[in-house]
Amino acid sequence: MKMKRICILLIYFWTSMVHSQNGDSNEKPMGRKLCPPMENVPQPINRVNTSAIIRELRLEMKKNAFHGPPIDAYIVPDTDEHQNEDVADHDKRLKYLSGFSGTGGVAVVTQTKAVFWTVWMYYKQADEELSCDWQLFVYGDSKRLDEWLLDEFKPNSRVGADLKLISNGDWEFLYRALANGSIILVPINNNLIDLIWVDNRPSYPTREAYVWPLEYAGKKWQDKLDATREKFQVMGFDAMVVTALDEIAWLLNIRGHDIPYGPFLKSYVIISKDQLHLYTNPAKLSPDVHKHLHTANCFSAHCARVHDYEAIWTDLRTFSQVWRKVLVPSATEYNNGASRCIYILINAEKRKQAPSPIMYMMAEKNSVEKEGMRLSHIRDSAAMCNILAKLNEQVPTDFLITK
């Protein structure tokens, strides 16, 4: 998942560099395949008609029940609350709205337009899947999202975004950019896609989390917790919020089934000097996990106090009242950091963003982890050899392989 994000970023920067060397940017959307639709000419078989869904979203944008006056544009990213791009089916809001099944996309819907940005590696897929309602842009070869909004709207226009699905860093950048044109970035607390996605919405996975054995982890989770506390206290904090799912899995030596392509449990963790709070669906925790985390009668610094996933939104505001300085993860090369919603729950004078120390601790592999990596490379190498041998046997010598 992290490697995919890095690849997408590299492609974005490369296209941006090439683009800047070639002169002015292409300010027009990319040409669309078989758009507008032609009579008696079939559309691509993968194309998804989301016209009715776009109309429903526009109706919600006109309402003022949750976000005040109507909003002129609504931003829909492909991420979940933890800034993951590979998300559970329940959280695939961008796919529901647009039909795009890849990653690395973001959409903006106005009352008259629907615009989609993706990277070059997914351009062909997006062109095939998006209906002709959508204008298609490519990162680095077209206007950026903020540039498009500034050109599209007059001062005092209102652009909405879900605070839970956008990182604090991205929010602050977009807020400042739009302010240059006196455009208002509106925080949306009740996701508009959630309001219209009622029928046939997939449920979250129900499989239980499980303990990652010490024979693979190489270090007890209590020792990792002590080391984490020492790290953030040296940095001048007396508490931190952990939002990255891979960091939580590593820290607590647990794994889950909530995210595609990653063995993670959808959860948050709050760590203070003498407490650890785990926010997740309690039904996902097996008896072995409860025993592993010592959740029963938890009164020490080396046990986990378990709460419902949604309780983080009230508890964080309450707990932060007694802390002096709270570490909120900032964006790094590997993840986008905490969401805007997490960030603003803590009083301004007490919060500070910094890279999560857990990320660096994960990179320092112990002897058990190093051996596990060596063994996994052996298995991967054997699998690759089998694939190449099968291709050599089955593919004719004069056959041109393109992918």
Side-chain angles (χ1 to χ4, degrees):
M1 181 168 58
K2 286 182 178 178
M3 184 60 72
K4 179 182 289 186
R5 184 186 294 272
I6 293 172
C7 290
I8 289 174
L9 285 172
L10 287 173
I11 290 171
Y12 170 68
F13 289 132
W14 180 81
T15 54
S16 297
M17 180 180 65
V18 173
H19 193 70
S20 63
Q21 294 173 348
N22 289 339
D24 296 336
S25 64
N26 175 17
E27 297 186 350
K28 296 182 180 180
M30 308 298 293
R32 296 295 314 283
K33 181 178 181 179
L34 296 178
C35 287
M38 294 174 285
E39 188 176 357
N40 299 325
V41 178
Q43 290 284 290
I45 58 173
N46 296 329
R47 184 157 289 174
V48 182
N49 185 356
T50 59
S51 301
I53 296 171
I54 295 172
R55 287 195 296 270
E56 286 188 74
L57 176 58
R58 286 171 174 158
L59 289 176
E60 289 295 335
M61 291 164 58
K62 291 180 178 179
K63 297 179 181 179
N64 59 7
F66 299 107
H67 48 74
I71 56 176
D72 302 293
Y74 188 59
I75 301 172
V76 182
D78 65 345
T79 53
D80 63 9
E81 296 91 336
H82 303 269
Q83 314 311 305
N84 297 310
E85 289 183 344
D86 291 314
V87 302
D89 289 343
H90 182 88
D91 292 330
K92 291 183 178 179
R93 298 175 178 89
L94 184 62
K95 181 180 179 181
Y96 174 76
L97 173 65
S98 67
F100 177 66
S101 61
T103 58
V106 63
V108 173
V109 174
T110 74
Q111 289 299 332
T112 58
K113 296 180 180 179
V115 188
F116 194 96
W117 281 263
T118 190
V119 294
W120 262 118
M121 65 186 295
Y122 288 117
Y123 163 72
K124 183 176 181 181
Q125 178 180 346
D127 192 29
E128 290 277 341
E129 294 180 338
L130 298 177
S131 68
C132 293
D133 299 286
W134 294 91
Q135 297 179 19
L136 182 58
F137 288 98
V138 173
Y139 293 129
D141 250 24
S142 310
K143 291 181 182 179
R144 298 196 312 264
L145 184 149
D146 59 300
E147 294 172 334
W148 187 88
L149 290 171
L150 286 167
D151 287 345
E152 188 73 14
F153 291 107
K154 299 177 181 178
N156 298 318
S157 296
R158 293 164 55 83
V159 177
D162 187 338
L163 294 176
K164 296 179 182 178
L165 304 185
I166 184 171
S167 71
N168 183 63
D170 288 345
W171 177 277
E172 290 183 343
F173 170 82
L174 188 57
Y175 181 89
R176 290 192 296 267
L178 297 183
N180 291 328
S182 298
I183 296 174
I184 304 167
L185 184 58
V186 182
I188 304 297
N189 294 317
N190 296 82
N191 190 284
L192 301 190
I193 299 297
D194 291 350
L195 296 179
I196 63 176
W197 194 4
V198 178
D199 297 329
N200 302 317
R201 186 170 187 176
S203 300
Y204 282 115
T206 58
R207 294 177 64 185
E208 293 181 333
Y210 57 96
V211 176
W212 188 240
L214 187 61
E215 62 180 295
Y216 299 133
K219 192 173 184 178
K220 293 181 179 179
W221 72 269
Q222 294 93 333
D223 295 333
K224 295 179 180 180
L225 179 59
D226 286 340
T228 302
R229 285 177 170 141
E230 182 180 350
K231 291 283 187 182
F232 70 67
Q233 289 181 53
V234 169
M235 296 168 66
F237 300 98
D238 53 358
M240 73 170 290
V241 186
V242 189
T243 61
L245 301 189
D246 56 340
E247 294 184 9
I248 294 172
W250 178 87
L251 175 67
L252 300 181
N253 287 347
I254 59 174
R255 300 293 188 266
H257 305 277
D258 291 349
I259 303 296
Y261 318 119
F264 306 131
L265 172 69
K266 192 172 184 182
S267 55
Y268 291 100
V269 162
I270 297 175
I271 308 172
S272 66
K273 294 179 180 179
D274 56 1
Q275 294 183 0
L276 181 144
H277 298 267
L278 173 63
Y279 295 85
T280 188
N281 179 356
K284 296 283 186 70
L285 303 183
S286 67
D288 286 343
V289 172
H290 278 286
K291 183 179 179 181
H292 169 72
L293 297 176
H294 307 293
T295 61
N297 301 315
C298 177
F299 298 107
S300 75
H302 295 102
C303 60
R305 294 160 171 83
V306 178
H307 311 269
D308 287 331
Y309 181 81
E310 297 293 334
I312 182 76
W313 311 117
T314 54
D315 284 2
L316 185 56
R317 188 187 300 276
T318 302
F319 293 160
S320 63
Q321 300 300 315
V322 300
W323 298 326
R324 292 180 296 104
K325 189 67 70 174
V326 185
L327 191 160
V328 182
S330 62
T332 68
E333 297 87 348
Y334 299 101
N335 60 59
N336 282 337
S339 69
R340 175 66 177 179
C341 194
I342 287 288
Y343 182 76
I344 64 173
L345 286 176
I346 305 168
N347 291 337
E349 66 274 10
K350 295 187 176 184
R351 69 194 180 207
K352 183 179 179 180
Q353 284 206 288
S356 169
I358 298 175
M359 176 183 64
Y360 299 106
M361 295 165 65
M362 291 169 61
E364 298 176 5
K365 305 299 183 186
N366 59 53
S367 59
V368 173
E369 290 173 319
K370 290 177 182 177
E371 181 62 19
M373 293 181 70
R374 282 190 285 266
L375 294 175
S376 68
H377 279 298
I378 292 173
R379 290 192 295 270
D380 287 346
S381 299
M384 179 59 69
C385 289
N386 287 337
I387 292 172
L388 295 176
K390 189 172 183 179
L391 285 174
N392 188 57
E393 293 173 357
Q394 296 185 357
V395 178
T397 56
D398 58 346
F399 184 80
L400 177 63
I401 300 177
T402 58
K403 289 187 180 180

